Amino acid sequence: MYRVLISCLLFSATLMAQEPLEVVTLPVQVHRVRSELHPWLECAITESEIQAVFAEVNRIWAPAGIRFEVKGIREMQALNIAPKRFFQRSRNWVKEALPMDQLVAGVLNVCFIHDMGPNGFYYGEPAVVSEVTTSRSVRGGSEHPVGRVAAHELGHALTLKHREDRKCLMAPGLRGTELNKEEIQAARQRAVQIKRSSQF
């Protein structure tokens, strides 16, 4: 009798532990950067390719109960800035070329460019993703390198830092996708804050 009762309690506890997290959906505005002056900035990614990128982003973030919904895709004309100086960091030059007044308030902004050396970056809006990536594959990792880069940079937007574990999402330059409990908790906390302040 007691064994049956204990077994039922353990089974119920297991089911409760496996209950999926309530999904937090975050709005995203995508910008395809254009530039006749700087080929590095001139991206060629199509709308269908962007949808494929975010399908992979959402697959990676599903265990955290976070979903990114593309609300719009628009062109962004880069500013006509001077060519990158030899010692200038690529990410600083790219951010200088992006017109900040074209970002959309109340959403996560993601800009796609062609190539800049780093696969992407985020240090304050927007997240920037290269359509040309040089990440290394890992066992069980993502087979969609651009989607994995986008998922990684959005992780930064959700307060996550780099973590040196080949299989994890926040390892730079690799294709791991795993998130630990602390990362999920921190990301969800930030996601809820963004959702509350969103206009969508």
Side-chain angles (χ1 to χ4, degrees):
M1 176 72 176
Y2 289 110
R3 287 182 181 179
V4 173
L5 179 60
I6 291 171
S7 297
C8 290
L9 289 172
L10 289 173
F11 181 70
S12 298
T14 301
L15 286 179
M16 288 178 65
Q18 293 177 346
E19 282 184 6
L21 295 169
E22 181 181 352
V23 176
V24 180
T25 301
L26 299 177
V28 175
Q29 175 65 51
V30 171
H31 307 268
R32 295 187 294 190
V33 177
R34 296 285 184 250
S35 175
E36 294 181 1
L37 186 62
H38 301 297
W40 281 11
L41 299 175
E42 175 75 17
C43 84
I45 195 167
T46 65
E47 290 197 15
S48 61
E49 288 170 338
I50 289 169
Q51 296 298 339
V53 165
F54 278 90
E56 177 66 358
V57 168
N58 287 327
R59 184 192 72 80
I60 291 171
W61 278 98
I66 298 173
R67 181 175 179 275
F68 299 88
E69 182 177 357
V70 176
K71 290 294 186 180
I73 301 172
R74 61 169 61 170
E75 311 294 296
M76 173 184 278
Q77 185 63 43
L79 302 174
N80 291 328
I81 62 172
K84 187 177 87 69
R85 299 184 297 276
F86 182 75
F87 292 105
Q88 187 177 13
R89 296 185 73 177
S90 296
R91 65 189 66 182
N92 293 342
W93 179 76
V94 169
K95 193 156 187 180
E96 186 181 334
L98 300 178
M100 296 294 115
D101 61 344
Q102 291 189 27
L103 300 182
V104 178
V107 302
L108 291 168
N109 290 270
V110 178
C111 294
F112 285 90
I113 65 169
H114 178 60
D115 186 14
M116 62 173 168
N119 295 323
F121 67 85
Y122 178 90
Y123 54 103
E125 283 269 277
V128 178
V129 177
S130 290
E131 62 186 1
V132 175
T133 67
T134 55
S135 57
R136 300 189 303 278
S137 61
V138 299
R139 181 176 294 181
S142 175
E143 297 298 324
H144 194 303
V146 181
R148 195 277 185 180
V149 171
H152 174 96
E153 301 308 333
L154 288 166
H156 286 311
L158 297 179
T159 74
L160 302 189
K161 307 296 183 185
H162 283 155
R163 181 160 63 91
E164 297 302 327
D165 178 338
R166 289 180 58 83
K167 291 185 177 182
C168 81
L169 175 62
M170 299 314 295
L174 298 169
R175 296 188 197 169
T177 62
E178 293 179 3
L179 292 159
N180 63 28
K181 291 181 180 179
E182 291 76 17
E183 288 169 330
I184 289 174
Q185 183 178 8
R188 284 184 61 83
Q189 183 176 356
R190 179 59 182 146
V192 169
Q193 292 173 348
I194 294 172
K195 180 68 175 178
R196 286 174 180 168
S197 64
S198 171
Q199 59 184 330
F200 293 94

